[in-house]
Amino acid sequence: MRQAVLNPSTSRYDSLDALRGVAMVWMTAFHFCFDLNHFGYLRQDFYRDPLWTWQRTAIVSLFLLCAGIGQAVAVSQQQTWARFWRRWVQIAACALLVSLGSWWMYPGSFIYFGVLHGMAVMLLLVRLSAGWGRWRWWLGAIALAVPWAAPHAIQAWPQAAVLNERWLNWLGLISYKPRTEDYVPLLPWLGVMWWGMALGQWLLRERPAALTQRLGRAGRALAWLGRWSLSYYMLHQPVLIGLLAGFSWLGGRR
């Protein structure tokens, strides 16, 4: 085994990339089951069954936590805004592609503010708040709590129901979930990324060994996967859907 150290040429921690790789493997398994359900090989309720809804919550949380820690690392390494914007444009462009692709597959419930759309907005806000120190723990807690109060507020003030409209529901202050295949609104998820950055800065200051721990072969493979997270995210579903579509087509010809 070797030590997972910061690579000066890539400015990455292997252990953080490995954690992101875990999220990607989990996401792939989840999406494979979702696609099996879409093609009729499974009969599961991915929209209401806690077995699936809680898994989705955990996967998104892990991704956003890693993104927050990653921003802490970037700030500690004095990443320039030019480099930040290059990555941000990639994420925003991929979010647009996800919207177009999902509209083609699910025109009635296409993705207009999913995980990549949310990440594009949240990364900018988290980067701008990089100097807020411990306040991010409190702000993260508020961001996580506020959406729970939104349905009661809308019930008390019917005029606030406008927050359920598509042009505002990306904020997350809603009384019912919109009809879309992926929905990662600003609240409560900004709280998770804020906590990720706060945790990352605490680890860099107090527990740097947690980011430079030794990785075995499996860990190094996950780290490699984690370094290509955006490309993998964009490609894995078309590949899975294509394979299952081909399998279904072959089965139908027998």
Side-chain angles (χ1 to χ4, degrees):
M1 294 191 299
R2 63 181 178 87
Q3 190 174 9
V5 297
L6 183 65
N7 185 333
S9 64
T10 60
S11 301
R12 307 191 75 108
Y13 284 104
D14 285 350
S15 52
L16 177 56
D17 283 329
L19 184 61
R20 189 180 293 108
V22 169
M24 293 166 66
V25 171
W26 192 357
M27 172 193 69
T28 304
F30 180 92
H31 281 163
F32 182 62
C33 293
F34 181 89
D35 296 338
L36 286 173
N37 195 73
H38 175 76
F39 282 94
Y41 297 111
L42 281 181
R43 288 289 183 268
Q44 297 289 314
D45 188 346
F46 279 80
Y47 303 100
R48 286 177 289 270
D49 188 339
L51 172 66
W52 302 108
T53 58
W54 281 103
Q55 279 194 73
R56 177 190 176 274
T57 298
I59 294 167
V60 174
S61 297
L62 188 53
F63 268 118
L64 296 181
L65 195 71
C66 288
I69 297 173
Q71 282 303 296
V73 171
V75 169
S76 74
Q77 296 170 353
Q78 300 180 336
Q79 181 195 66
T80 65
W81 274 100
R83 184 173 176 184
F84 172 87
W85 283 119
R86 284 197 296 271
R87 184 62 170 174
W88 187 90
V89 167
Q90 292 174 352
I91 293 172
C94 287
L96 178 59
L97 289 175
V98 166
S99 291
L100 292 173
S102 64
W103 179 79
W104 178 71
M105 283 199 67
Y106 307 101
S109 58
F110 73 98
I111 300 169
Y112 59 88
F113 207 84
V115 64
L116 291 182
H117 307 73
M119 284 188 70
V121 176
M122 287 182 268
L123 282 170
L124 181 58
L125 293 176
V126 167
R127 182 61 181 263
L128 289 171
S129 62
W132 291 6
R134 295 177 181 175
W135 280 104
R136 280 189 306 274
W137 290 109
W138 294 103
L139 290 170
I142 293 171
L144 290 167
V146 165
W148 293 95
H152 304 288
I154 291 173
Q155 185 176 10
W157 297 288
Q159 298 86 345
V162 68
L163 293 168
N164 286 313
E165 298 295 330
R166 183 174 292 179
W167 65 282
L168 283 177
N169 65 20
W170 61 273
L171 293 170
L173 302 175
I174 58 174
S175 57
Y176 62 86
K177 185 181 180 299
R179 187 165 178 258
T180 177
E181 295 301 316
D182 189 27
Y183 178 60
V184 182
L186 186 64
L187 301 174
W189 296 107
L190 176 60
V192 178
M193 196 180 290
W194 259 334
W195 277 3
M197 187 168 195
L199 175 61
Q201 291 185 330
W202 181 83
L203 288 171
L204 288 165
R205 183 178 64 251
E206 304 290 342
R207 299 287 189 275
L211 295 172
T212 57
Q213 58 186 311
R214 294 180 179 275
L215 297 181
R217 183 177 298 177
R220 294 196 297 271
L222 288 170
W224 180 86
L225 186 63
R227 283 191 286 272
W228 295 94
S229 56
L230 184 59
S231 299
Y232 183 90
Y233 181 87
M234 293 301 295
L235 291 173
H236 82 284
Q237 268 291 65
V239 170
L240 289 176
I241 292 172
L243 289 173
L244 286 173
F247 182 80
S248 298
W249 179 77
L250 289 174
R253 287 175 57 88
R254 292 175 183 172

